[in-house]
Amino acid sequence: MKKFRFVAVLCLVASVMGCNKSTPTSDQASSSTSSSASDDHGHDHADGDAHAHSVEGHAHGVGPHDGTIADWGGGKFHVEFTVDHDKQQATVFVLGSDEKTATPIDAESIELSITDPEMQVTLSAEPQEVDPEGKSSRFVGTHEKLGVVQEYAGTMTGVVDGTPYSGDFKEEAHGHEH
């Protein structure tokens, strides 16, 4: 496993060195789940700034809660997946286009679908203190399989103001052990 992580780190370094920072076209934006591993070039930008991306599957790096960020709707929203293995609990934070600012939405729940181990989890709204009445930027759910210590991949889906949003994510080791 350590050899795999070493290779993954080398790939990450190589991708950062080769980042061309080209801006995707607006017709590449989508709110459906059609991402594949081939369009995820998986890197953090060396300047540390968040960049607006509309290509689904683009790696966004580590979020403000030390989680994995996915795009929702061509960059309009982002969602951050975190997991507490001891509590067998997933928490998803809804963020704005800057990938940092909590963005409360009018929804009672969002759905989390994990590919391995396969599971579906409904995450219920648990508003943060700063969220206005009737809206939430935090959604929480539990499942016994979330106790498995590993990097997860899957999809987060929800509806905001009648518009369905979906974002694929894949956790990558980022400098700490579970």
Side-chain angles (χ1 to χ4, degrees), residues 22-137:
S22 64
T23 304
T25 61
S26 61
D27 61 335
Q28 290 173 313
S30 169
S31 62
S32 66
T33 54
S34 60
S35 179
S36 68
S38 65
D39 60 336
D40 181 354
H41 61 274
H43 68 272
D44 295 325
H45 290 275
D47 60 11
D49 290 340
H51 298 276
H53 296 287
S54 58
V55 176
E56 282 195 329
H58 181 89
H60 293 267
V62 179
H65 304 96
D66 200 31
T68 300
I69 294 182
D71 177 56
W72 251 19
K76 181 175 182 178
F77 297 104
H78 289 86
V79 281
E80 179 184 7
F81 170 81
T82 64
V83 63
D84 183 326
H85 300 291
D86 294 335
K87 293 181 179 179
Q88 300 177 341
Q89 176 177 303
T91 302
V92 171
F93 296 91
V94 180
L95 306 171
S97 61
D98 66 357
E99 302 178 23
K100 297 176 185 174
T101 306
T103 304
I105 61 172
D106 185 10
E108 293 181 15
S109 66
I110 62 175
E111 297 298 318
L112 172 66
S113 176
I114 303 287
T115 55
D116 180 32
E118 190 172 329
M119 72 183 97
Q120 303 287 322
V121 185
T122 298
L123 306 177
S124 300
E126 286 193 14
Q128 299 185 81
E129 290 181 20
V130 296
D131 292 345
E133 185 71 30
K135 293 189 175 192
S136 182
S137 61

